[in-house]
Amino acid sequence: MPNPEFKFPNDYGKYFDAAGVLKVDYLTDLPERIAETLKHEWPALTMTQLRAFYMHAKRTEEAWRRGVSLGKASALAEAVNEIKRFEYLANDRLKLKKKIPQTFHDFLCKNAKNVNAEDGGKSLKAFLEHFEALVGFCAGRIKERDRT
């Protein structure tokens, strides 16, 4: 059943508790609620689309880690900039091509805005863990490819 009541919480994107630990809701309740909403939205999101964005994020993380290991000072800033691209990529997919649902657009944009280099990569890692949880909760809820 659709969840029209779902709205991103006002403090969405404030990934960490007072102790600086990723809030468990970003690994459990929030991605599950987002996945359930995506199940019912149109245009339908496919696992292929979801994984494409997720793998883009994971490749960005790998490039960041590789850059750090090579002593590249700009590696984190470059990774953050790559995640920031999700905002305009999501806008393109939603507004121009009508290929992704509003909730997924909002998920990408809100998280892209909250990832920054000032925290040494903590927000980037938190976003990736949150995104990984979303992929897991979407499995079995949304279709692989068929958009009909």
Side-chain angles (χ1 to χ4, degrees):
M1 166 181 299
N3 186 2
E5 308 294 314
F6 177 77
K7 288 188 171 59
F8 287 90
N10 290 337
D11 66 346
Y12 184 79
K14 294 185 178 15
Y15 302 114
F16 306 104
D17 64 17
V21 175
L22 179 62
K23 295 176 187 172
V24 72
D25 281 355
Y26 285 89
L27 303 176
T28 57
D29 182 56
L30 284 169
E32 185 172 26
R33 289 172 50 213
I34 294 167
E36 190 60 28
T37 301
L38 291 172
K39 176 180 171 180
H40 301 284
E41 280 189 314
W42 188 261
L45 181 69
T46 66
M47 285 300 290
T48 303
Q49 292 169 310
L50 179 67
R51 284 191 197 109
F53 273 98
Y54 177 68
M55 293 311 299
H56 185 143
K58 289 300 286 181
R59 283 190 303 275
T60 299
E61 177 190 33
E62 290 166 13
W64 166 42
R65 292 185 188 286
R66 197 171 37 258
V68 168
S69 71
L70 295 173
K72 188 174 181 183
S74 63
L76 177 57
E78 290 172 10
V80 167
N81 286 346
E82 190 62 28
I83 296 299
K84 298 286 187 191
R85 290 183 63 225
F86 280 16
E87 286 190 68
Y88 69 77
L89 293 172
N91 277 328
D92 174 65
R93 300 310 188 281
L94 175 71
K95 296 184 168 76
L96 295 178
K97 297 179 181 168
K98 311 249 187 277
K99 295 209 177 229
I100 63 171
Q102 184 70 49
T103 299
F104 189 58
H105 166 275
D106 294 349
F107 169 82
L108 292 171
C109 291
K110 288 174 182 293
N111 282 288
K113 285 179 180 162
N114 287 304
V115 171
N116 65 76
E118 291 77 32
D119 63 8
K122 266 184 89 171
S123 58
L124 176 56
K125 290 179 201 172
F127 166 55
L128 289 166
E129 289 183 48
H130 181 40
F131 203 165
E132 180 178 37
L134 177 62
V135 172
F137 281 112
C138 282
R141 281 189 168 97
I142 63 176
K143 295 181 180 188
E144 283 296 325
R145 291 182 190 267
D146 182 15
R147 295 176 50 86
T148 58

